[in-house]
Amino acid sequence: MNETLLASSSSGDMPWWAYVLCLIVVGAGAYFAWRARQKKIAMYRAWAAQYGFHYEPSDNSVTGLSTEDPFNEGHSRKGIDVFRGMYKNVHVVFFQYQYSTGSGKERKTFNHQVVAIGLPTARPLLDIGQENFLTKRFAKDIDFENQAFNDFFRIKSPNRRFAYDIIHPRTMEWMLQDQRARSYPWRFEGPWLMTFRSGALKLEEVFFYADFLIDVLAQVPRHVWSNN
């Protein structure tokens, strides 16, 4: 009899107080996460006011900024902590882009910092990255007359004329010498010139990346903005 009671007790559900304790722990975690988020939002609002930017804690319209990776990856795409404003006479937007893959226990969430500046007119897609072993063997890109440039950079565009207009000999030399151009991916697409990296948004970095994009823009010949 006692053995039956012991077996029944050991195989039964957790006591009610264990469920209550779990709910308290989960609730406390959610509350502190909410408080931390509210503090960050307040800090970002103050920063935006100081530098003359418009700030939105959430704005999913920026998930359509590009059609290429990482914007075409996963699901549940979000624009978090989105800043818009003027910097050195150009329109700039920067934010944290988030997407997820999988579901349930297999769900993973990825974040990217994105910085973009506005172009004088919308232009075709032109994607600039660095070559690696896989891209050299399996990815098609546009080749230029500078072999050292071809060996280091991977250039993709559906519009070869636009690619050759943007990446002329002087720009190729600048890209090979500028450590930022050698380190970051950057992309023309529609009304934007953008760069991005994996990880959360860091306000202390955004103007550095914006300066880089402005320097890229300075390399573009004026006739490019009038070409169809």
Side-chain angles (χ1 to χ4, degrees), residues 161-173:
R161 175 186 174 186
F162 179 61
Y164 289 131
D165 281 345
I166 291 289
I167 305 175
H168 50 80
R170 179 170 57 85
T171 297
M172 282 189 274
E173 291 300 325

Side-chain angles (χ1 to χ4, degrees), residues 53-185:
F53 281 81
H54 176 75
Y55 166 69
E56 290 291 344
S58 177
D59 181 357
N60 292 340
S61 67
V62 295
T63 62
L65 202 71
S66 175
T67 59
E68 299 292 306
D69 64 290
F71 293 87
N72 59 356
E73 300 287 339
H75 58 81
S76 304
R77 298 162 185 164
K78 298 178 182 179
I80 301 170
D81 297 326
V82 181
F83 293 80
R84 292 184 174 89
M86 297 298 295
Y87 175 68
K88 294 185 177 180
N89 297 318
V90 298
H91 180 61
V92 62
V93 57
F94 46 90
F95 57 94
Q96 181 170 312
Y97 171 69
Q98 184 181 94
Y99 70 90
S100 298
T101 60
S103 61
K105 293 182 179 181
E106 301 300 318
R107 183 184 178 103
K108 294 181 180 179
T109 299
F110 301 87
N111 290 288
H112 286 77
Q113 174 179 274
V114 181
V115 180
I117 63 172
L119 299 176
T121 57
R123 298 288 81 184
L125 170 68
L126 175 60
D127 196 62
I128 297 95
Q130 291 74 44
E131 289 280 23
N132 57 48
F133 174 77
L134 292 177
T135 59
K136 285 182 178 180
R137 289 182 60 88
F138 303 110
K140 294 182 179 180
D141 64 354
I142 300 174
D143 285 331
F144 295 79
E145 64 272 20
N146 187 325
Q147 190 55 48
F149 180 88
N150 294 334
D151 289 340
F152 193 87
F153 290 99
R154 175 189 50 78
I155 311 298
K156 298 193 303 179
S157 176
N159 189 316
R160 297 177 73 90
R161 175 186 174 186
F162 179 61
Y164 289 131
D165 281 345
I166 291 289
I167 305 175
H168 50 80
R170 179 170 57 85
T171 297
M172 282 189 274
E173 291 300 325
W174 175 79
M175 289 172 63
L176 286 168
Q177 294 173 13
D178 191 287
Q179 187 58 42
R180 300 167 302 173
R182 294 173 62 91
S183 302
Y184 316 137

Side-chain angles (χ1 to χ4, degrees), residues 34-51:
W34 176 83
R35 280 288 302 273
R37 177 60 180 160
Q38 297 309 305
K39 287 182 178 180
K40 177 175 282 190
I41 288 173
M43 180 190 71
Y44 280 174
R45 289 195 191 281
W47 188 96
Q50 178 182 355
Y51 289 96

